[in-house]
Amino acid sequence: MTVRFIGAGPGAVDLITLRGQRAVASSPVCLYAGSLVPAELLEWCPQGARLVDTAKMALDEIVAEMLAAHGAGHDVARLHSGDPSVFSAMAEQMRRLDAAGVPYEVVPGVPAFAAAAASLKRELTVPGVGQTVVLTRTSARATPMPDGEDLDTLGRSRATMVLHLAVQRVEAVAGELIPNYGADCPVAVVARASRYDEVILRGTLADIADRVRAAGVVRTAVIVVGRVLTASEFPDSHLYSAARCRD
């Protein structure tokens, strides 16, 4: 018996990996967050599978389902939106499975920030403009951020920044980033990236909060900040340079 933490992708059903799809199709038990994981993915579950929506469940209740499946010898597909390596709360589930001696695997998925970049048709690492991407969030009602990971500290590098779970605080976020990035720094907000009802908002740190409010975006969105969003005058990378030695 194995618990498989599966990245379900950013929202579009066809963005789950083939490995993830096969894991879902072979698991008699499927745990998923109904508020984030598309219901269409559940159609791949085997007939008669136990489907458990974890959206309103506490951690111990979720783990109890895994332990019950382990006792019955049933594989578990644990679906997480995006990629489980980022902001998924997978670590605390694995810690409990380790303590219980339950084996598990991780199946990567397409993260929300990658889907957002695809929708924006932008590369997040542009030569001469930005070669670093910071993935972060804000505290608000969630777990407090560790010391040194506040937006002012992270923003001092002026690296491309992608914020998850922060769109409800977009005005405060912009205010904290302006001193380092400048009010004219390009910003994009992508809500429900890759889905049929995707929303893309473009602006600057000075006006993005107004655009978000006007569009009524309040959740399931990432905020992308950085000069790479509008860069057009930049050197070609060395990767495909004719001068590069390929021997």
Side-chain angles (χ1 to χ4, degrees):
M1 174 274 174
T2 302
V3 174
R4 292 184 176 85
F5 294 94
I6 303 167
V13 178
D14 58 352
L15 284 182
I16 192 172
T17 65
L18 291 174
R19 183 181 297 182
Q21 182 181 354
R22 287 195 296 266
V24 171
S26 65
S27 299
V29 178
C30 179
L31 308 181
Y32 66 99
S35 58
L36 298 171
V37 173
E40 293 88 343
L41 288 182
L42 303 180
E43 295 176 4
W44 290 324
C45 294
Q47 186 174 5
R50 176 170 172 75
L51 308 180
V52 182
D53 184 353
T54 62
K56 296 183 179 180
M57 295 173 65
L59 176 60
D60 287 340
E61 295 175 300
I62 295 171
V63 174
E65 287 283 347
M66 297 176 181
L67 296 181
H70 175 67
H74 293 159
D75 286 349
V76 176
R78 175 58 169 129
L79 286 168
H80 283 277
S81 62
D83 180 85
S85 68
V86 182
F87 304 122
S88 69
M90 176 178 67
E92 59 220 50
Q93 297 171 69
M94 292 191 298
R95 180 169 59 188
R96 282 164 169 75
L97 294 180
D98 284 335
V102 177
Y104 56 84
E105 299 174 355
V106 180
V107 180
V110 177
F113 78 87
S119 295
L120 293 167
K121 298 180 176 66
R122 303 301 303 191
E123 181 178 352
L124 299 183
T125 53
V126 176
V129 181
Q131 292 288 286
T132 302
V133 180
V134 176
L135 304 178
T136 190
R137 63 170 181 82
T138 60
S139 290
R141 294 175 295 176
T143 307
M145 295 294 286
D147 291 341
E149 294 190 13
D150 57 279
L151 293 184
D152 178 60
T153 300
L154 296 177
R156 291 173 193 171
S157 68
R158 294 187 292 279
T160 303
M161 185 177 291
V162 181
L163 294 108
H164 296 69
L165 310 171
V167 73
Q168 291 186 349
R169 298 188 63 248
V170 63
E171 187 169 6
V173 167
E176 292 179 55
L177 293 180
I178 283 175
N180 288 311
Y181 287 82
D184 65 339
C185 183
V187 184
V189 171
V190 183
R192 300 179 292 279
S194 81
R195 303 185 189 188
Y196 72 92
D197 55 349
E198 173 185 87
V199 175
I200 298 176
L201 305 173
R202 293 181 172 87
T204 65
L205 284 174
D207 64 15
I208 194 63
D210 291 337
R211 295 176 186 272
V212 169
R213 279 196 299 270
V217 173
V218 295
R219 64 189 300 272
T220 321
V222 295
I223 305 171
V224 186
V225 182
R227 304 285 172 183
V228 298
L229 291 174
T230 56
S232 58
E233 299 296 325
F234 53 86
D236 292 339
S237 70
H238 184 63
L239 180 62
Y240 298 117
S241 171
R244 180 186 174 193
C245 178
R246 288 179 167 78
D247 293 335

